[in-house]
């Protein structure tokens, strides 16, 4: 392996199947492209099918032999999550990689999913919690399979002091765009580690890992609108990781043969909070390692999604 981890370190993925949420753009697209170019069949699980099909064509131009499939999936709707899981379970013999990448970031005003959840918590965490649970049998059917949860340095920035507002997870009493986003990204890490603990306890060989891209130049800032969106995009382009480099963290979490369950990858820096660079093992906050909080969030997530894991 070279001094820093790059796409050249991705092992051959021939015969493997990867399902990637939000794969029509940004980090998810770069993951799908890289895996396809290394031989994997990739499933672009996306809300906008037309954009997904355009992304699939771009990947096919770069990897003409690749098999690329578009799967409709709206993570802000549990009905859509269940429908997508049913279709994937019926059409795929196994799932080697599930990369829970899609997300929304900091809408200025509180929005809700069709199920009444705060948009960021509902999409970034609950939708992925439900999808993973519904697909777990297919993931377990593959040798060397992994679930990758994409978190953020924001998991440390603005969430409540308790980590998760267990008494008001939907931010109905008050709403902070930054804190609600931070809560959803902390939830991604708590989930990844709680899943890892449960998989190990069950004797499952499936790995649950996590990653963060630093801060990357993607379309994630589209919720900002107006000047905020322009500043985010221009700042990202000038100062931060490109989408291709930012995506390396979750790619490494997905395919590095030396990765272990519960590990967290991101750019180098103190306390795992670096904005840019190639992926290394990253640190995270004390709250993200709190097993009691992991279990409380797990119980809440099962109640809200009505998805119970078969572990």
């Amino acid at each position: 392996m070279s001094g820093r981890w790059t796409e050249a370190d991705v092992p051959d993925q021939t015969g493997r199947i990867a399902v990637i949420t939000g794969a029509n753009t940004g980090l998810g697209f770069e993951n799908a492209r890289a895996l396809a170019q290394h031989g994997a069949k990739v499933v672009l699980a996306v809300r906008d099918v037309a954009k997904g099909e355009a992304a699939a064509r771009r990947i096919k131009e770069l990897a003409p032999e690749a098999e690329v499939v578009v799967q409709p999936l709206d993570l802000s709707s549990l009905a859509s999550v269940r429908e997508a899981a049913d279709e994937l379970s019926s059409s795929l013999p196994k799932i080697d990689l599930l990369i829970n990448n899609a997300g929304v970031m900091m809408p200025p005003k509180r929005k809700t999913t069709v199920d009444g959840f705060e948009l960021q918590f509902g999409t970034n965490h609950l939708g992925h919690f439900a999808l993973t649970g519904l697909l777990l049998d297919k993931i377990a059917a593959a040798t060397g399979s992994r679930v990758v949860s994409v978190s953020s340095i924001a998991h440390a920035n603005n969430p409540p002091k308790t980590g998760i507002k267990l008494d008001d997870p939907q931010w109905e009493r008050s709403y902070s765009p930054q804190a609600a986003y931070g809560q959803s990204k902390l939830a991604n890490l708590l989930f990844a580690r709680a899943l890892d603990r449960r998989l190990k306890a069950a004797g499952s060989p499936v790995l649950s890992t996590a990653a963060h891209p630093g801060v990357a130049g993607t379309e994630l800032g589209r919720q900002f609108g107006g000047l905020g969106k322009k500043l985010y995009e221009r700042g990202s382009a000038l100062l931060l990781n490109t989408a291709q480099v930012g995506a390396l963290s979750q790619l490494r979490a997905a395919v590095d043969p030396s990765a272990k369950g519960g590990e967290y990858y991101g750019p180098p820096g103190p306390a795992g909070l670096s904005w840019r660079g190639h992926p290394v093992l990253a640190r995270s906050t004390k709250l993200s390692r709190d097993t009691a909080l992991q279990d409380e969030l797990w119980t809440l997530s099962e109640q809200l999604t009505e998805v119970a894991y078969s572990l």
Side-chain angles (χ1 to χ4, degrees), residues 238-279:
L238 291 173
L239 302 173
L240 310 176
N241 270 342
T242 63
Q244 186 171 357
V245 175
L248 290 174
S249 295
Q250 55 215 60
L251 193 61
R252 183 171 188 177
V255 303
D256 187 338
S258 66
K260 298 178 176 63
E263 290 184 338
Y264 180 46
Y265 289 89
L273 302 180
S274 177
W275 284 21
R276 63 185 297 171
H278 288 242

mmCIF file of all heavy atoms in Angstrom, residues 238-279:
data_model
loop_
_atom_site.group_PDB
_atom_site.id
_atom_site.type_symbol
_atom_site.label_atom_id
_atom_site.label_comp_id
_atom_site.label_asym_id
_atom_site.label_seq_id
_atom_site.Cartn_x
_atom_site.Cartn_y
_atom_site.Cartn_z
ATOM 1 N N LEU A 238 -12.310 25.925 -3.063
ATOM 2 C CA LEU A 238 -11.015 26.568 -2.858
ATOM 3 C C LEU A 238 -10.215 25.958 -1.716
ATOM 4 O O LEU A 238 -8.988 25.864 -1.793
ATOM 5 C CB LEU A 238 -11.230 28.062 -2.567
ATOM 6 C CG LEU A 238 -11.740 28.919 -3.730
ATOM 7 C CD1 LEU A 238 -12.072 30.315 -3.233
ATOM 8 C CD2 LEU A 238 -10.686 28.985 -4.832
ATOM 9 N N LEU A 239 -10.891 25.538 -0.643
ATOM 10 C CA LEU A 239 -10.188 25.229 0.594
ATOM 11 C C LEU A 239 -10.262 23.773 1.035
ATOM 12 O O LEU A 239 -9.432 23.336 1.829
ATOM 13 C CB LEU A 239 -10.758 26.100 1.735
ATOM 14 C CG LEU A 239 -10.692 27.616 1.526
ATOM 15 C CD1 LEU A 239 -11.439 28.314 2.655
ATOM 16 C CD2 LEU A 239 -9.248 28.078 1.471
ATOM 17 N N LEU A 240 -11.243 23.036 0.556
ATOM 18 C CA LEU A 240 -11.546 21.754 1.179
ATOM 19 C C LEU A 240 -11.334 20.592 0.224
ATOM 20 O O LEU A 240 -10.850 20.753 -0.888
ATOM 21 C CB LEU A 240 -12.991 21.794 1.694
ATOM 22 C CG LEU A 240 -13.312 23.030 2.553
ATOM 23 C CD1 LEU A 240 -14.782 23.044 2.926
ATOM 24 C CD2 LEU A 240 -12.438 23.084 3.789
ATOM 25 N N ASN A 241 -11.678 19.394 0.672
ATOM 26 C CA ASN A 241 -11.532 18.213 -0.165
ATOM 27 C C ASN A 241 -12.425 18.289 -1.392
ATOM 28 O O ASN A 241 -13.566 18.767 -1.312
ATOM 29 C CB ASN A 241 -11.937 16.965 0.632
ATOM 30 C CG ASN A 241 -10.779 16.334 1.368
ATOM 31 O OD1 ASN A 241 -9.629 16.600 1.048
ATOM 32 N ND2 ASN A 241 -11.081 15.500 2.338
ATOM 33 N N THR A 242 -11.938 17.794 -2.503
ATOM 34 C CA THR A 242 -12.825 17.541 -3.630
ATOM 35 C C THR A 242 -13.720 16.367 -3.262
ATOM 36 O O THR A 242 -13.444 15.602 -2.323
ATOM 37 C CB THR A 242 -12.025 17.171 -4.887
ATOM 38 O OG1 THR A 242 -11.307 15.949 -4.633
ATOM 39 C CG2 THR A 242 -11.051 18.277 -5.265
ATOM 40 N N ALA A 243 -14.812 16.186 -4.003
ATOM 41 C CA ALA A 243 -15.688 15.043 -3.739
ATOM 42 C C ALA A 243 -14.925 13.733 -3.904
ATOM 43 O O ALA A 243 -15.130 12.777 -3.140
ATOM 44 C CB ALA A 243 -16.898 15.085 -4.672
ATOM 45 N N GLN A 244 -14.016 13.679 -4.877
ATOM 46 C CA GLN A 244 -13.280 12.450 -5.136
ATOM 47 C C GLN A 244 -12.375 12.082 -3.964
ATOM 48 O O GLN A 244 -12.306 10.922 -3.556
ATOM 49 C CB GLN A 244 -12.455 12.578 -6.414
ATOM 50 C CG GLN A 244 -11.773 11.272 -6.834
ATOM 51 C CD GLN A 244 -11.147 11.363 -8.212
ATOM 52 O OE1 GLN A 244 -11.259 12.367 -8.887
ATOM 53 N NE2 GLN A 244 -10.479 10.288 -8.621
ATOM 54 N N VAL A 245 -11.685 13.069 -3.392
ATOM 55 C CA VAL A 245 -10.827 12.790 -2.237
ATOM 56 C C VAL A 245 -11.670 12.561 -0.988
ATOM 57 O O VAL A 245 -11.396 11.661 -0.193
ATOM 58 C CB VAL A 245 -9.819 13.937 -2.026
ATOM 59 C CG1 VAL A 245 -9.010 13.711 -0.737
ATOM 60 C CG2 VAL A 245 -8.877 14.042 -3.211
ATOM 61 N N GLY A 246 -12.732 13.359 -0.804
ATOM 62 C CA GLY A 246 -13.592 13.170 0.357
ATOM 63 C C GLY A 246 -14.218 11.789 0.391
ATOM 64 O O GLY A 246 -14.383 11.189 1.461
ATOM 65 N N ALA A 247 -14.527 11.251 -0.792
ATOM 66 C CA ALA A 247 -15.167 9.942 -0.874
ATOM 67 C C ALA A 247 -14.233 8.805 -0.512
ATOM 68 O O ALA A 247 -14.688 7.684 -0.240
ATOM 69 C CB ALA A 247 -15.714 9.726 -2.285
ATOM 70 N N LEU A 248 -12.934 9.056 -0.485
ATOM 71 C CA LEU A 248 -11.980 7.990 -0.179
ATOM 72 C C LEU A 248 -12.180 7.420 1.223
ATOM 73 O O LEU A 248 -11.912 6.248 1.466
ATOM 74 C CB LEU A 248 -10.545 8.495 -0.331
ATOM 75 C CG LEU A 248 -10.059 8.788 -1.749
ATOM 76 C CD1 LEU A 248 -8.674 9.420 -1.708
ATOM 77 C CD2 LEU A 248 -10.036 7.510 -2.591
ATOM 78 N N SER A 249 -12.642 8.246 2.150
ATOM 79 C CA SER A 249 -12.807 7.759 3.520
ATOM 80 C C SER A 249 -13.833 6.633 3.581
ATOM 81 O O SER A 249 -13.591 5.580 4.185
ATOM 82 C CB SER A 249 -13.236 8.910 4.438
ATOM 83 O OG SER A 249 -12.219 9.883 4.541
ATOM 84 N N GLN A 250 -15.003 6.858 2.958
ATOM 85 C CA GLN A 250 -16.007 5.799 3.004
ATOM 86 C C GLN A 250 -15.630 4.630 2.094
ATOM 87 O O GLN A 250 -15.968 3.479 2.377
ATOM 88 C CB GLN A 250 -17.393 6.347 2.680
ATOM 89 C CG GLN A 250 -17.549 7.075 1.384
ATOM 90 C CD GLN A 250 -18.534 8.228 1.498
ATOM 91 O OE1 GLN A 250 -18.338 9.147 2.283
ATOM 92 N NE2 GLN A 250 -19.616 8.171 0.708
ATOM 93 N N LEU A 251 -14.880 4.921 1.032
ATOM 94 C CA LEU A 251 -14.396 3.836 0.177
ATOM 95 C C LEU A 251 -13.423 2.946 0.951
ATOM 96 O O LEU A 251 -13.501 1.709 0.868
ATOM 97 C CB LEU A 251 -13.727 4.424 -1.063
ATOM 98 C CG LEU A 251 -13.435 3.476 -2.224
ATOM 99 C CD1 LEU A 251 -14.709 2.855 -2.759
ATOM 100 C CD2 LEU A 251 -12.700 4.225 -3.336
ATOM 101 N N ARG A 252 -12.546 3.564 1.726
ATOM 102 C CA ARG A 252 -11.612 2.768 2.525
ATOM 103 C C ARG A 252 -12.362 1.956 3.582
ATOM 104 O O ARG A 252 -12.045 0.783 3.809
ATOM 105 C CB ARG A 252 -10.572 3.668 3.192
ATOM 106 C CG ARG A 252 -9.548 2.867 3.973
ATOM 107 C CD ARG A 252 -8.373 3.711 4.469
ATOM 108 N NE ARG A 252 -7.359 2.835 5.048
ATOM 109 C CZ ARG A 252 -6.193 3.246 5.527
ATOM 110 N NH1 ARG A 252 -5.876 4.536 5.487
ATOM 111 N NH2 ARG A 252 -5.333 2.384 6.031
ATOM 112 N N ALA A 253 -13.340 2.572 4.228
ATOM 113 C CA ALA A 253 -14.134 1.854 5.225
ATOM 114 C C ALA A 253 -14.858 0.665 4.599
ATOM 115 O O ALA A 253 -15.130 -0.335 5.265
ATOM 116 C CB ALA A 253 -15.141 2.798 5.868
ATOM 117 N N ALA A 254 -15.141 0.774 3.292
ATOM 118 C CA ALA A 254 -15.891 -0.278 2.603
ATOM 119 C C ALA A 254 -15.018 -1.422 2.116
ATOM 120 O O ALA A 254 -15.478 -2.575 2.084
ATOM 121 C CB ALA A 254 -16.641 0.329 1.414
ATOM 122 N N VAL A 255 -13.759 -1.154 1.730
ATOM 123 C CA VAL A 255 -13.000 -2.192 1.021
ATOM 124 C C VAL A 255 -11.605 -2.475 1.563
ATOM 125 O O VAL A 255 -10.981 -3.453 1.137
ATOM 126 C CB VAL A 255 -12.890 -1.855 -0.488
ATOM 127 C CG1 VAL A 255 -14.258 -1.692 -1.116
ATOM 128 C CG2 VAL A 255 -12.031 -0.607 -0.715
ATOM 129 N N ASP A 256 -11.082 -1.655 2.463
ATOM 130 C CA ASP A 256 -9.731 -1.924 2.969
ATOM 131 C C ASP A 256 -9.725 -3.277 3.686
ATOM 132 O O ASP A 256 -10.456 -3.473 4.656
ATOM 133 C CB ASP A 256 -9.323 -0.814 3.940
ATOM 134 C CG ASP A 256 -7.865 -0.917 4.374
ATOM 135 O OD1 ASP A 256 -7.295 -2.028 4.280
ATOM 136 O OD2 ASP A 256 -7.304 0.097 4.811
ATOM 137 N N PRO A 257 -8.900 -4.218 3.233
ATOM 138 C CA PRO A 257 -8.891 -5.547 3.859
ATOM 139 C C PRO A 257 -8.509 -5.527 5.336
ATOM 140 O O PRO A 257 -8.864 -6.445 6.078
ATOM 141 C CB PRO A 257 -7.852 -6.321 3.038
ATOM 142 C CG PRO A 257 -7.755 -5.584 1.738
ATOM 143 C CD PRO A 257 -7.995 -4.151 2.076
ATOM 144 N N SER A 258 -7.805 -4.500 5.765
ATOM 145 C CA SER A 258 -7.359 -4.440 7.158
ATOM 146 C C SER A 258 -8.377 -3.779 8.079
ATOM 147 O O SER A 258 -8.179 -3.753 9.302
ATOM 148 C CB SER A 258 -6.026 -3.690 7.253
ATOM 149 O OG SER A 258 -6.190 -2.328 6.907
ATOM 150 N N ALA A 259 -9.465 -3.238 7.525
ATOM 151 C CA ALA A 259 -10.456 -2.545 8.352
ATOM 152 C C ALA A 259 -11.156 -3.517 9.290
ATOM 153 O O ALA A 259 -11.400 -4.675 8.954
ATOM 154 C CB ALA A 259 -11.476 -1.841 7.470
ATOM 155 N N LYS A 260 -11.506 -3.007 10.471
ATOM 156 C CA LYS A 260 -12.205 -3.814 11.472
ATOM 157 C C LYS A 260 -13.535 -3.166 11.825
ATOM 158 O O LYS A 260 -13.726 -1.953 11.665
ATOM 159 C CB LYS A 260 -11.344 -3.958 12.729
ATOM 160 C CG LYS A 260 -10.021 -4.672 12.507
ATOM 161 C CD LYS A 260 -9.214 -4.726 13.793
ATOM 162 C CE LYS A 260 -7.928 -5.520 13.607
ATOM 163 N NZ LYS A 260 -7.025 -4.892 12.620
ATOM 164 N N GLY A 261 -14.452 -3.998 12.305
ATOM 165 C CA GLY A 261 -15.752 -3.493 12.705
ATOM 166 C C GLY A 261 -15.629 -2.434 13.790
ATOM 167 O O GLY A 261 -14.794 -2.545 14.692
ATOM 168 N N GLY A 262 -16.431 -1.389 13.674
ATOM 169 C CA GLY A 262 -16.418 -0.312 14.644
ATOM 170 C C GLY A 262 -15.432 0.789 14.340
ATOM 171 O O GLY A 262 -15.432 1.826 15.015
ATOM 172 N N GLU A 263 -14.572 0.597 13.316
ATOM 173 C CA GLU A 263 -13.584 1.621 12.999
ATOM 174 C C GLU A 263 -14.219 2.780 12.231
ATOM 175 O O GLU A 263 -15.241 2.628 11.555
ATOM 176 C CB GLU A 263 -12.421 1.022 12.207
ATOM 177 C CG GLU A 263 -11.543 0.105 13.046
ATOM 178 C CD GLU A 263 -10.329 -0.419 12.310
ATOM 179 O OE1 GLU A 263 -10.342 -0.447 11.058
ATOM 180 O OE2 GLU A 263 -9.361 -0.812 12.985
ATOM 181 N N TYR A 264 -13.550 3.920 12.321
ATOM 182 C CA TYR A 264 -14.043 5.183 11.768
ATOM 183 C C TYR A 264 -12.901 5.816 10.982
ATOM 184 O O TYR A 264 -11.804 6.005 11.515
ATOM 185 C CB TYR A 264 -14.469 6.075 12.936
ATOM 186 C CG TYR A 264 -15.023 7.438 12.620
ATOM 187 C CD1 TYR A 264 -15.990 7.633 11.627
ATOM 188 C CD2 TYR A 264 -14.623 8.539 13.376
ATOM 189 C CE1 TYR A 264 -16.521 8.892 11.394
ATOM 190 C CE2 TYR A 264 -15.152 9.808 13.149
ATOM 191 C CZ TYR A 264 -16.096 9.975 12.151
ATOM 192 O OH TYR A 264 -16.634 11.231 11.919
ATOM 193 N N TYR A 265 -13.139 6.112 9.699
ATOM 194 C CA TYR A 265 -12.097 6.645 8.824
ATOM 195 C C TYR A 265 -12.412 8.085 8.409
ATOM 196 O O TYR A 265 -13.565 8.440 8.177
ATOM 197 C CB TYR A 265 -11.952 5.774 7.583
ATOM 198 C CG TYR A 265 -11.331 4.433 7.873
ATOM 199 C CD1 TYR A 265 -12.111 3.340 8.233
ATOM 200 C CD2 TYR A 265 -9.943 4.259 7.820
ATOM 201 C CE1 TYR A 265 -11.539 2.111 8.518
ATOM 202 C CE2 TYR A 265 -9.357 3.043 8.099
ATOM 203 C CZ TYR A 265 -10.167 1.964 8.451
ATOM 204 O OH TYR A 265 -9.587 0.758 8.742
ATOM 205 N N GLY A 266 -11.357 8.882 8.309
ATOM 206 C CA GLY A 266 -11.512 10.256 7.855
ATOM 207 C C GLY A 266 -10.161 10.888 7.625
ATOM 208 O O GLY A 266 -9.116 10.265 7.857
ATOM 209 N N PRO A 267 -10.138 12.142 7.163
ATOM 210 C CA PRO A 267 -8.860 12.834 6.962
ATOM 211 C C PRO A 267 -8.088 12.947 8.270
ATOM 212 O O PRO A 267 -8.677 12.953 9.350
ATOM 213 C CB PRO A 267 -9.296 14.217 6.454
ATOM 214 C CG PRO A 267 -10.650 14.002 5.879
ATOM 215 C CD PRO A 267 -11.280 12.947 6.732
ATOM 216 N N PRO A 268 -6.752 13.044 8.199
ATOM 217 C CA PRO A 268 -5.949 13.125 9.422
ATOM 218 C C PRO A 268 -6.119 14.460 10.119
ATOM 219 O O PRO A 268 -6.338 15.493 9.485
ATOM 220 C CB PRO A 268 -4.517 12.951 8.904
ATOM 221 C CG PRO A 268 -4.569 13.453 7.498
ATOM 222 C CD PRO A 268 -5.930 13.074 6.983
ATOM 223 N N GLY A 269 -6.015 14.434 11.443
ATOM 224 C CA GLY A 269 -6.122 15.670 12.196
ATOM 225 C C GLY A 269 -6.461 15.397 13.643
ATOM 226 O O GLY A 269 -6.859 14.285 13.998
ATOM 227 N N PRO A 270 -6.326 16.395 14.515
ATOM 228 C CA PRO A 270 -6.599 16.203 15.933
ATOM 229 C C PRO A 270 -8.057 15.845 16.185
ATOM 230 O O PRO A 270 -8.969 16.449 15.617
ATOM 231 C CB PRO A 270 -6.250 17.567 16.549
ATOM 232 C CG PRO A 270 -6.375 18.540 15.418
ATOM 233 C CD PRO A 270 -5.931 17.786 14.207
ATOM 234 N N ALA A 271 -8.255 14.842 17.018
ATOM 235 C CA ALA A 271 -9.602 14.406 17.430
ATOM 236 C C ALA A 271 -10.482 14.022 16.248
ATOM 237 O O ALA A 271 -11.698 14.050 16.336
ATOM 238 C CB ALA A 271 -10.294 15.488 18.261
ATOM 239 N N GLY A 272 -9.862 13.666 15.122
ATOM 240 C CA GLY A 272 -10.655 13.245 13.973
ATOM 241 C C GLY A 272 -11.467 14.341 13.340
ATOM 242 O O GLY A 272 -12.459 14.082 12.665
ATOM 243 N N LEU A 273 -11.052 15.592 13.534
ATOM 244 C CA LEU A 273 -11.855 16.712 13.055
ATOM 245 C C LEU A 273 -11.204 17.474 11.904
ATOM 246 O O LEU A 273 -11.511 18.630 11.664
ATOM 247 C CB LEU A 273 -12.156 17.676 14.217
ATOM 248 C CG LEU A 273 -12.895 17.049 15.406
ATOM 249 C CD1 LEU A 273 -13.141 18.095 16.482
ATOM 250 C CD2 LEU A 273 -14.212 16.429 14.952
ATOM 251 N N SER A 274 -10.287 16.827 11.182
ATOM 252 C CA SER A 274 -9.629 17.480 10.066
ATOM 253 C C SER A 274 -10.599 17.695 8.910
ATOM 254 O O SER A 274 -11.484 16.883 8.657
ATOM 255 C CB SER A 274 -8.447 16.635 9.584
ATOM 256 O OG SER A 274 -7.848 17.215 8.454
ATOM 257 N N TRP A 275 -10.414 18.797 8.192
ATOM 258 C CA TRP A 275 -11.293 19.141 7.091
ATOM 259 C C TRP A 275 -10.893 18.489 5.776
ATOM 260 O O TRP A 275 -11.731 18.315 4.903
ATOM 261 C CB TRP A 275 -11.300 20.659 6.893
ATOM 262 C CG TRP A 275 -12.102 21.398 7.906
ATOM 263 C CD1 TRP A 275 -12.478 20.955 9.156
ATOM 264 C CD2 TRP A 275 -12.639 22.714 7.777
ATOM 265 N NE1 TRP A 275 -13.202 21.906 9.795
ATOM 266 C CE2 TRP A 275 -13.322 23.011 8.980
ATOM 267 C CE3 TRP A 275 -12.599 23.665 6.776
ATOM 268 C CZ2 TRP A 275 -13.967 24.235 9.186
ATOM 269 C CZ3 TRP A 275 -13.238 24.881 6.983
ATOM 270 C CH2 TRP A 275 -13.911 25.165 8.181
ATOM 271 N N ARG A 276 -9.614 18.148 5.604
ATOM 272 C CA ARG A 276 -9.188 17.691 4.290
ATOM 273 C C ARG A 276 -8.050 16.687 4.411
ATOM 274 O O ARG A 276 -7.371 16.602 5.434
ATOM 275 C CB ARG A 276 -8.754 18.875 3.427
ATOM 276 C CG ARG A 276 -7.550 19.627 3.950
ATOM 277 C CD ARG A 276 -7.248 20.856 3.123
ATOM 278 N NE ARG A 276 -6.906 20.511 1.753
ATOM 279 C CZ ARG A 276 -6.764 21.397 0.763
ATOM 280 N NH1 ARG A 276 -6.947 22.681 0.990
ATOM 281 N NH2 ARG A 276 -6.427 21.007 -0.440
ATOM 282 N N GLY A 277 -7.865 15.916 3.307
ATOM 283 C CA GLY A 277 -6.784 14.956 3.264
ATOM 284 C C GLY A 277 -7.274 13.547 3.003
ATOM 285 O O GLY A 277 -8.471 13.273 2.975
ATOM 286 N N HIS A 278 -6.334 12.641 2.824
ATOM 287 C CA HIS A 278 -6.638 11.243 2.538
ATOM 288 C C HIS A 278 -6.940 10.493 3.828
ATOM 289 O O HIS A 278 -6.475 10.870 4.905
ATOM 290 C CB HIS A 278 -5.471 10.611 1.773
ATOM 291 C CG HIS A 278 -5.368 11.106 0.358
ATOM 292 N ND1 HIS A 278 -5.492 10.276 -0.738
ATOM 293 C CD2 HIS A 278 -5.175 12.352 -0.146
ATOM 294 C CE1 HIS A 278 -5.371 10.985 -1.841
ATOM 295 N NE2 HIS A 278 -5.174 12.251 -1.514
ATOM 296 N N PRO A 279 -7.700 9.399 3.741
ATOM 297 C CA PRO A 279 -8.247 8.792 4.964
ATOM 298 C C PRO A 279 -7.240 8.023 5.804
ATOM 299 O O PRO A 279 -6.369 7.317 5.292
ATOM 300 C CB PRO A 279 -9.315 7.842 4.410
ATOM 301 C CG PRO A 279 -8.864 7.509 3.031
ATOM 302 C CD PRO A 279 -8.216 8.760 2.516
#
